[in-house]
Amino acid sequence: MKKDISFPKDFIWGTAASSYQIEGAWNEDGKGLSIWDTFSHTIGKIANNENGDVSIDHYHRFKDDIHLMSELGLKTYRFSTSWPRIFPDETGQINPKGVAFYDRMIDELLRNQVEPYLCLYHWDLPQWLQDKGGWSVRETTSYFADYAGFMSDKFSDRVKNWITHNEPFVTAGAGYFIGEHAPGIKEPISALKAVHHLLLSHGLATQAIRAASRQPLKVGIVLNLSPVHPASSFKKDIAAAERFDIIQNRAFLDPLLLGTSPVQELKLLSALVGSVIKPGDLKLINVLDFLGVNYYTRTVIRHDPKFPVFSASQIHPEGNEYSGMWEIYPDGLSELLLHIWGKYGPPSNPQQKMPEIMVTENGIPVPDGVDFDGRVRDERRIRYLENHILQVHKAIQLGVPVMGYFVWSFLDNFEWALGYGQRFGIVYVDFKTQKRTIKDSGHWFADVIRNNGFKA
Ligand code: IFM
């Protein structure tokens, strides 16, 4: 017999997206260049040399897209704003047409009873700031705070939920360490500095958002977290997994939730970047109303001296199910949520005011297509989402107060260095005609929202 899997009243169900991945209009209405414009226009950086110039043209189609959300009964939408649309160049002059775009978009969301979650940074740094050193220099943090304050002044009359950064681990790791994302830098030290500056900019931006706010609001950050498992029970692998856990999870969670840094625990790390953390920084960073957890997979690590700083590399265990990008490992989601609550929450820190926790991204790329009868039968995505939502339910049952769950993504879109080859949407997009078709998973998720759960 099937069991009722129901969620707390007021549980937040939503979907998520980001500016560069969906907007297109890369050089329209006064927008400045972002590092992703530069990177994707460089031959050889993106699969098939694709780019986000037009993407799924959300800039011009946002009204129809929001109507589609409303048709599905989606109540919440997490999106990001493009910083270079607002501040196109280093003069600090505001681009009124960029502001007007988000004005119209937010109004349209609210008209359709969709609650906006506004994220200020989902990787599209203005190119002019990269030219000054980007996230590897401390000065970028105050530019970010200025941008945050301006946005709060403009939009906090209507937007109550604010996110400073999406996945700073990826910003620093993929952008400055392995160079597979913009700005394409491969310098471990710049990456480690970027980690601290991203966190510091979160603290400064939070202050700026609150100072300019027009109503009580919540400010959070979104981290891509992953339980780190050792590849074997050998001591060296266990130690490597612990080291990797520092950079994947603790480098972010400890400063944000405890106001401490794990950097001192690794001699080499401390020697390389210990001095980047100035007195008072950690206190500034330790501010959070909610923690967004993006979960896709676990990370399995072995000792590997070839890799700089951490002497650890990732392996992909045989015999498990994989998506086009990652191992499918739903149990890792409840493991992660329980771990966060157990280590950082009241169970071990009764004095600590624990921020709200929500799953701000979870999803799977599937090579979907529209069938002869117009349907998109993405059964695999439904199974993936159901198995992961079950893990959120389990964590709640075991005492973790998870407040919400967002599917990545609403529409198929530009998947960064992988171009348009990976479809994550619950709505199919024909990239040639821009036609949208709700996938079976979209209808399924609409039912989940309507029933505040499902039978499993
Ligand atoms: O598409 C990305 C998103 O921009 C950030 N989180 C992971 C998604 C899938 O890779």
Side-chain angles (χ1 to χ4, degrees):
M1 238 222 347
K2 289 197 166 183
K3 249 179 55 192
D4 268 332
I5 303 296
S6 50
F7 281 78
K9 189 174 153 291
D10 301 328
F11 190 76
I12 300 160
W13 297 100
T15 61
S18 87
S19 46
Y20 187 76
Q21 291 180 277
I22 64 170
E23 284 179 2
W26 72 287
N27 60 356
E28 268 181 60
D29 289 345
K31 174 181 166 292
L33 274 187
S34 85
I35 53 172
W36 271 94
D37 295 313
T38 310
F39 191 70
S40 66
H41 292 164
T42 310
I43 300 296
K45 297 293 185 194
I46 312 289
N48 306 314
N49 291 316
E50 288 165 343
N51 57 53
D53 288 4
V54 177
S55 186
I56 57 167
D57 198 28
H58 181 72
Y59 189 78
H60 299 111
R61 295 166 193 263
F62 74 92
K63 281 197 176 168
D64 292 344
D65 290 341
I66 292 171
H67 293 166
L68 209 51
M69 288 177 200
S70 155
E71 203 181 301
L72 282 178
L74 300 180
K75 300 272 185 300
T76 315
Y77 176 51
R78 184 191 141 214
F79 66 97
S80 77
T81 50
S82 156
W83 187 352
R85 237 186 241 299
I86 308 292
F87 289 99
D89 57 44
E90 66 180 304
T91 62
Q93 290 281 339
I94 283 141
N95 172 28
K97 289 191 174 168
V99 178
F101 168 64
Y102 294 113
D103 235 336
R104 291 195 300 273
M105 200 183 112
I106 289 164
D107 283 345
E108 195 62 32
L109 285 168
L110 294 173
R111 243 194 307 278
N112 285 276
Q113 275 96 47
V114 182
E115 187 70 31
Y117 274 61
L118 189 157
C119 174
L120 290 164
Y121 190 77
H122 198 125
W123 309 348
D124 41 359
L125 187 75
Q127 182 61 45
W128 60 268
L129 268 170
Q130 187 58 46
D131 298 341
K132 292 175 182 289
W135 291 112
S136 60
V137 301
R138 195 171 168 103
E139 288 67 33
T140 301
T141 62
S142 33
Y143 285 104
F144 187 62
D146 291 347
Y147 160 55
F150 172 79
M151 296 299 271
S152 173
D153 181 46
K154 281 284 162 212
F155 300 119
S156 65
D157 57 337
R158 287 155 289 161
V159 177
K160 291 190 278 227
N161 293 285
W162 291 74
I163 294 164
T164 54
H165 283 280
N166 176 76
E167 302 182 356
F169 174 72
V170 179
T171 308
Y176 292 79
F177 196 120
I178 54 172
E180 286 177 4
H181 278 189
I185 291 169
K186 294 183 188 164
E187 293 170 6
I189 297 186
S190 299
L192 294 168
K193 287 182 181 167
V195 168
H196 181 62
H197 296 144
L198 287 157
L199 287 167
L200 180 61
S201 76
H202 158 81
L204 295 172
T206 303
Q207 282 185 344
I209 294 167
R210 288 180 178 160
S213 70
R214 292 165 185 277
Q215 61 170 326
L217 40 81
K218 291 182 183 167
V219 188
I221 194 167
V222 164
L223 303 179
N224 59 310
L225 301 171
S226 175
V228 180
H229 294 166
S232 76
S233 52
F234 289 123
K235 269 195 186 146
K236 278 192 160 183
D237 286 340
I238 294 175
E242 281 168 6
R243 286 195 301 276
F244 199 82
D245 184 48
I246 289 186
I247 194 60
Q248 165 84 59
N249 301 311
R250 291 186 52 210
F252 303 93
L253 290 171
D254 290 10
L256 286 159
L257 297 177
L258 303 175
T260 61
S261 167
V263 160
Q264 308 306 335
E265 290 174 34
L266 275 184
K267 260 201 197 140
L268 180 57
L269 199 57
S270 160
L272 289 175
V273 286
S275 61
V276 173
I277 306 175
K278 308 279 182 229
D281 283 3
L282 291 166
K283 192 157 183 269
L284 267 173
I285 296 169
N286 181 208
V287 284
L288 211 54
D289 296 318
F290 65 90
L291 171 69
V293 175
N294 289 359
Y295 177 78
Y296 290 92
T297 191
R298 66 169 171 167
T299 307
V300 183
I301 290 293
R302 67 162 177 209
H303 176 73
D304 187 346
K306 280 199 304 295
F307 279 78
V309 191
F310 297 98
S311 301
S313 66
Q314 192 175 355
I315 64 146
H316 301 285
E318 294 296 322
N320 297 346
E321 195 186 345
Y322 284 79
S323 72
M325 287 167 73
W326 296 298
E327 180 190 359
I328 299 177
Y329 192 77
D331 289 359
L333 181 50
S334 54
E335 178 185 335
L336 183 63
L337 294 167
L338 285 158
H339 170 72
I340 295 171
W341 185 243
K343 177 166 179 198
Y344 299 94
S348 45
N349 299 293
Q351 308 309 325
Q352 173 82 8
K353 187 185 167 289
M354 184 67 184
E356 291 176 356
I357 302 176
M358 53 183 100
V359 176
T360 35
E361 274 185 34
N362 178 234
I364 180 175
V366 178
D368 305 312
V370 182
D371 284 344
F372 63 97
D373 56 357
R375 251 176 78 185
V376 181
R377 294 174 166 78
D378 57 338
E379 196 46 48
R380 194 169 187 218
R381 177 171 293 103
I382 296 178
R383 188 157 47 88
Y384 177 97
L385 297 178
E386 182 172 297
N387 286 337
H388 284 78
I389 296 174
L390 275 171
Q391 295 300 318
V392 177
H393 188 260
K394 175 177 167 188
I396 295 174
Q397 298 301 302
L398 292 172
V400 189
V402 186
M403 312 290 288
Y405 173 92
F406 291 66
V407 173
W408 183 271
S409 182
F410 181 54
L411 300 145
D412 291 334
N413 60 54
F414 177 77
E415 179 53 27
W416 306 110
L418 302 177
Y420 293 94
Q422 304 288 335
R423 293 178 176 274
F424 274 90
I426 56 172
V427 174
Y428 182 88
V429 180
D430 181 324
F431 296 128
K432 287 206 178 80
T433 62
Q434 299 290 359
K435 183 172 186 295
R436 277 68 164 145
T437 306
I438 299 169
K439 301 182 190 179
D440 283 2
S441 60
H443 293 295
W444 176 84
F445 193 53
D447 282 346
V448 172
I449 297 174
R450 203 171 308 116
N451 299 319
N452 199 28
F454 51 86
K455 287 191 189 297

